[in-house]
Amino acid sequence: MKIKSLGLLTLLVLVALAACAPAPTPVPTAAPPTAAPKPTTPPEPPKAPTVAPTTAPASSASSVASGPTATRPPAPATATPRPPAVTAAPGAIKVNFWHHLSAPEQVDMIQKFADEFNAKNPKYYIVPSFQGTTSGMPKKVNAAITAGSTPDMVTGNPGDLFDYALSGAMVALDSYIKDSTDGLDPALLAEMSFKLPNGQELFFDIGPDGKTYGLSVARSMNVMYYNIDMLKAAGFNNPPATWDEFDKICAAVTKGDQYCYPATASSMDTSAFAAWVFSRGGTYASADEKKATFDDQAGIDTLKWLQNMAKTGWGKIPSVTSRGDQADFGNGKAAFAFGSTAGLPFFQDAVKGRKEGPFQWSIAPIPAGPKGKQVVNFFGPSIGIMKTTADKQKGAWLFLRYLLQKENQAEWALRLVYYPASKSARDYVLSLSADQVKATNARVASVFEQFKKGASFVPLGLREPTAAAWQGPRATIATMLTAVFTGKSSADFTATDPEAAAKEGVQRVNKILESYGK
């Protein structure tokens, strides 16, 4: 698998951004429940995790080479997994499930799901195993593929799953999905089928061969965070619906220590760039994802906007070197930030910690350009099944199907601050009371109004390229954004003018795409 190292982005941040880029938005943690939520009753009260995390857990994104940076946190501390509550029945078929969910309550959630499934399906025995963040898992999985000792099912970004599929290690899920006895319920299948404007499915990972290699239980989205009080003080009662309105607000709020947009590694990354291009009506990539296309007018206009942010002072590099976008937004300096909805509780923490007291804030879709529309960019991991034996594959599928039950989708979503794959599960989550949400994840309860607002953005969702070959170019795109914002060339990227940078960026990305697998 052609995966570019983190060295390029690290050098870029140190040289171009003067070590100011923060760690990306982390995924919140909470105490685990003792039982899965029931359809008509709230989740049971939480119990304390065995080990408190010292940093945010990994969730929906991988390394620069492996997935969206908008939700990619630093390497997490993990909880001590609790022992399985169910003993394997004699002769049970063991199904090894490698996952990246590291926070104490997430590890506990996976084990709880396994216990429930194992109790109801004694023929199989699910064995969950934390295998590192999504940046590290691909290395382990590829090593296992080489050694011929793969797990039976894995979590991973779509591009990673497609990469494993190219090596012949993944099982196409289509026959399982459509099986007349053990397939997905037609109603659930219809709910999960959400086609994007380019025909791509949002919750099904369909490879270039037309086969499905992954299913998502829930996904997060890139959105715009905004300071309600700051906008109102400047005479604006609503968040900007267009980029022209965004600029007008920036001009009005930028004064003294206040400014508009914090340029950090998490708010000026490839996922944000994709959303900005989409919102201006751009294509970003060809329909078959074999070519980059962000050198069109939408891409150029996006880079012109970014350059203007720096020239006007509306955009600044935060002085805080760790999670500076959250810090400057939380202390009332920055009017906006772009990031994942998975970071909602962490933005709330920053706002609550403000010395002058908290302020009102919320989220909105990405503003629209003259030829575009408001959008959000979806990302997040999926679950795939690896080629092992027919019995193990069947057990893995039945467990995946179990995870897609409405209440399980809902709990998964609340644990990770994601949006469930099916409409019925989303509706179920939104129908919960604050106390019910608090019983599952108190941190989500504190931002439940913002979370519910984000659910209304689901119909606006788009996805950046998910093909395996697109994982490597992410660092190049991040380098391009930094070159344009700072106006500084480097050995890794020479152009700083928007039009020239878009052209160079596409050329560099296409070269990487063409060399993939060779």
Side-chain angles (χ1 to χ4, degrees):
M1 179 167 65
K2 304 289 185 179
I3 296 184
K4 195 166 184 177
S5 73
L6 288 172
L8 176 62
L9 183 56
T10 301
L11 178 62
L12 167 68
V13 173
L14 290 174
V15 176
L17 291 184
C20 290
T25 301
V27 175
T29 64
T34 57
K38 302 297 189 294
T40 57
T41 61
E44 294 184 16
K47 60 184 178 182
T50 53
V51 177
T54 58
T55 183
S59 68
S60 68
S62 62
S63 70
V64 167
S66 301
T69 58
T71 54
R72 186 178 63 251
T78 60
T80 301
R82 67 170 174 79
V86 177
T87 302
I93 299 166
K94 183 182 291 186
V95 177
N96 290 305
F97 177 29
W98 284 12
H99 67 86
H100 70 280
L101 304 179
S102 60
E105 76 283 355
Q106 294 170 0
V107 172
D108 190 86
M109 175 189 73
I110 293 297
Q111 184 60 60
K112 178 176 69 67
F113 285 153
D115 289 339
E116 292 169 353
F117 177 85
N118 292 339
K120 297 175 182 177
N121 301 272
K123 180 179 178 179
Y124 304 101
Y125 193 73
I126 307 297
V127 182
S129 176
F130 171 71
Q131 293 294 325
T133 66
T134 47
S135 61
M137 267 193 68
K139 297 175 184 177
K140 291 188 177 182
V141 174
N142 277 298
I145 292 172
T146 300
S149 58
T150 62
D152 304 300
M153 59 192 305
V154 295
T155 61
N157 288 302
D160 295 324
L161 299 185
F162 293 151
D163 197 55
Y164 309 150
L166 288 174
S167 67
M170 298 299 291
V171 174
L173 302 178
D174 303 272
S175 60
Y176 292 107
I177 292 172
K178 299 175 182 177
D179 187 85
S180 59
T181 302
D182 296 315
L184 290 184
D185 180 89
L188 174 60
L189 183 60
E191 282 191 34
M192 289 181 61
S193 183
F194 185 92
K195 285 190 180 295
L196 304 178
N198 64 357
Q200 185 183 42
E201 286 281 354
L202 180 56
F203 298 103
F204 295 83
D205 299 323
I206 300 174
D209 59 359
K211 297 179 180 178
T212 305
Y213 291 100
L215 292 179
S216 174
V217 179
R219 297 206 191 277
S220 60
M221 63 178 86
N222 188 282
V223 297
M224 178 179 68
Y225 288 76
Y226 67 97
N227 183 324
I228 296 175
D229 289 354
M230 188 185 295
L231 266 60
K232 284 186 176 179
F236 300 91
N237 294 322
N238 297 299
T242 68
W243 286 111
D244 284 344
E245 292 176 2
F246 186 95
D247 288 351
K248 289 179 182 178
I249 293 174
C250 286
V253 302
T254 302
K255 54 186 177 182
D257 288 338
Q258 283 188 184
Y259 68 104
C260 195
Y261 160 69
T264 68
S266 58
S267 65
M268 190 175 67
D269 72 343
T270 52
S271 295
F273 178 59
W276 298 338
V277 172
F278 290 149
S279 72
R280 289 177 169 88
T283 56
Y284 195 76
S286 59
D288 60 8
E289 299 191 354
K290 293 183 178 180
K291 296 286 185 181
T293 60
F294 55 78
D295 58 348
D296 62 6
Q297 194 58 50
I300 294 170
D301 288 345
T302 297
L303 295 180
K304 285 182 177 179
W305 167 82
L306 187 62
Q307 182 186 63
N308 190 57
M309 285 289 110
K311 285 184 175 181
T312 57
W314 298 344
K316 296 180 180 180
I317 298 171
S319 58
V320 177
T321 58
S322 178
R323 304 185 184 114
D325 52 346
Q326 292 179 12
D328 274 13
F329 183 85
N331 62 27
K333 285 186 177 181
F336 300 100
F338 296 95
S340 169
T341 47
L344 283 168
F346 286 84
F347 275 90
Q348 172 71 354
D349 288 348
V351 172
K352 285 177 63 177
R354 183 170 179 253
K355 183 171 61 176
E356 297 82 0
F359 54 83
Q360 295 184 82
W361 64 277
S362 192
I363 58 174
I366 307 301
K371 296 183 179 180
K373 62 180 182 179
Q374 290 183 287
V375 301
V376 293
N377 181 18
F378 273 98
F379 35 66
S382 300
I383 300 175
I385 297 174
M386 307 202 78
K387 287 184 179 178
T388 49
T389 68
D391 284 340
K392 287 176 174 287
Q393 290 168 192
K394 179 66 174 293
W397 164 252
L398 292 176
F399 184 56
L400 176 52
R401 189 184 67 170
Y402 177 74
L403 295 178
L404 291 171
Q405 290 183 6
K406 181 178 69 175
E407 292 77 19
N408 293 341
Q409 278 192 56
E411 182 174 354
W412 185 291
L414 289 175
R415 292 288 177 208
L416 277 69
V417 202
Y418 283 11
Y419 293 96
S422 69
K423 184 180 183 302
S424 59
R426 290 195 296 274
D427 290 344
Y428 171 68
V429 169
L430 299 180
S431 72
L432 297 175
S433 68
D435 286 342
Q436 288 175 311
V437 173
K438 187 175 182 179
T440 299
N441 190 340
R443 293 181 58 110
V444 174
S446 70
V447 292
F448 197 44
E449 288 306 310
Q450 291 94 331
F451 181 84
K452 287 194 293 185
K453 186 176 181 182
S456 67
F457 306 159
V458 171
L460 306 177
L462 293 171
R463 289 178 79 182
E464 59 196 279
T466 59
W470 270 89
Q471 308 313 307
R474 298 187 63 82
T476 296
I477 296 170
T479 307
M480 174 189 70
L481 297 174
T482 302
V484 171
F485 186 83
T486 63
K488 296 179 181 179
S489 297
S490 69
D492 298 313
F493 206 92
T494 58
T496 60
D497 171 76
E499 189 166 354
K503 183 177 180 180
E504 180 181 345
V506 164
Q507 289 174 342
R508 286 178 178 265
V509 168
N510 284 341
K511 187 175 181 180
I512 297 172
L513 295 176
E514 290 167 4
S515 65
Y516 178 79
K518 296 181 181 178

